[in-house]
Amino acid sequence: MATDGYVQNIWDAPEWNPTAPRLVVHDVSTTPPVLAAELAQAWADIQRHHPELPDLAAPESLIGESSSACGAELSFERLLHEAVHGIAAARGVRDTSRAGRYHNRRFLAIAEEMGLDHSEEPHPSSGFSLVTLSPEAKRRYRPTIERLQRALKAHTAATAADTKRSFRGPAARHGSSGGGVRVKAVCDCGRNVRVVPSVLAQAPIVCGGCGKPFRIPEAVGAAR
């Protein structure tokens, strides 16, 4: 199916296990890996209400990225929008067209299931992309929304401060969370993510299923 650019590469297929230990992160850090963990936790909260939603394989890919079709600002509303695409992928539903830009009525139907509203007529170029949180969804996810907002605020403040005092190169100028080739990292329960090694080296990225950190296998690490 056609989805929004990088979005089609960030889901992992294994069935979510509701009995697995949950990841609880108490320290809100300003580093991208910890913000990625916060995004993964928020995604897991959505999965509790929608178990067919695939795992988010690479939450760090959302940091610093933008999509005019899905909304440029990273927020819980944006994350729930991405989750609609995840449900569509799991169901084999073609929810977009025009290279992922136009969001059709099949997208809207799933969005409404998940607590997103669209009160206006479809946009000529993006369709029903501009969905917003319904009052019910705001109540359901209030603790998750508040926690993610704190993490995003801290990350934004740290990023702004870092930009003022240092030169971070072309990757930062173009809104990327890190340059380089992504490799496969695995956890003890067998799930895997694609990550830039330098990003993983900054701090652990922890699996929301088993609670263990993702690691790059020795064979892969030795080959690079």
Side-chain angles (χ1 to χ4, degrees):
M1 61 175 280
T3 55
D4 304 293
Y6 67 90
V7 175
Q8 56 192 335
N9 297 317
I10 64 175
W11 298 308
D12 201 5
E15 181 180 358
W16 177 63
N17 181 5
T19 64
R22 305 307 306 165
L23 169 64
V24 179
V25 182
H26 296 289
D27 177 48
V28 177
S29 172
T30 59
T31 62
V34 177
L35 178 55
E38 296 289 347
L39 290 165
Q41 182 62 54
W43 191 269
D45 291 343
I46 299 172
Q47 284 179 311
R48 291 193 183 98
H49 298 279
H50 304 278
E52 67 179 309
L53 177 63
D55 290 335
L56 184 62
E60 73 280 358
S61 67
L62 292 171
I63 303 171
E65 298 285 356
S66 64
S67 169
S68 59
C70 291
E73 183 179 356
L74 184 55
S75 63
F76 182 79
E77 189 172 85
R78 163 80 182 282
L79 196 66
L80 196 59
H81 180 131
E82 303 291 3
V84 175
H85 291 304
I87 292 288
R91 295 177 182 177
V93 173
R94 186 181 178 86
D95 62 339
T96 64
S97 59
R98 304 177 193 172
R101 292 188 300 275
Y102 191 89
H103 293 54
N104 58 35
R105 291 188 180 277
R106 289 184 288 275
F107 169 85
L108 180 60
I110 299 173
E112 290 175 343
E113 286 180 37
M114 299 183 71
L116 290 166
D117 290 336
H118 192 286
S119 58
E120 302 175 357
E121 290 298 312
H123 189 275
S125 61
S126 62
F128 294 98
S129 172
L130 301 177
V131 286
T132 57
L133 283 169
S134 67
E136 180 183 353
K138 289 179 181 178
R139 288 191 295 271
R140 179 188 306 158
Y141 294 111
R142 178 172 287 113
T144 304
I145 293 170
E146 291 175 351
R147 179 168 181 80
L148 186 57
Q149 283 178 335
R150 289 196 297 270
L152 287 165
K153 184 177 180 181
H155 175 73
T156 299
T159 302
D162 183 66
T163 300
K164 291 178 181 178
R165 67 172 180 265
S166 63
F167 175 73
R168 301 176 62 200
R173 293 200 305 273
H174 292 285
S176 172
S177 59
V181 178
R182 294 178 187 273
V183 300
K184 183 168 74 172
V186 299
C187 67
D188 286 356
C189 67
R191 296 171 60 207
N192 65 82
V193 299
R194 289 280 174 178
V195 61
V196 177
S198 61
V199 172
L200 190 62
Q202 294 177 39
I205 297 177
V206 183
C207 174
C210 68
K212 299 295 181 63
F214 286 99
R215 65 187 186 282
I216 299 173
E218 290 183 8
V220 176
R224 292 183 175 275

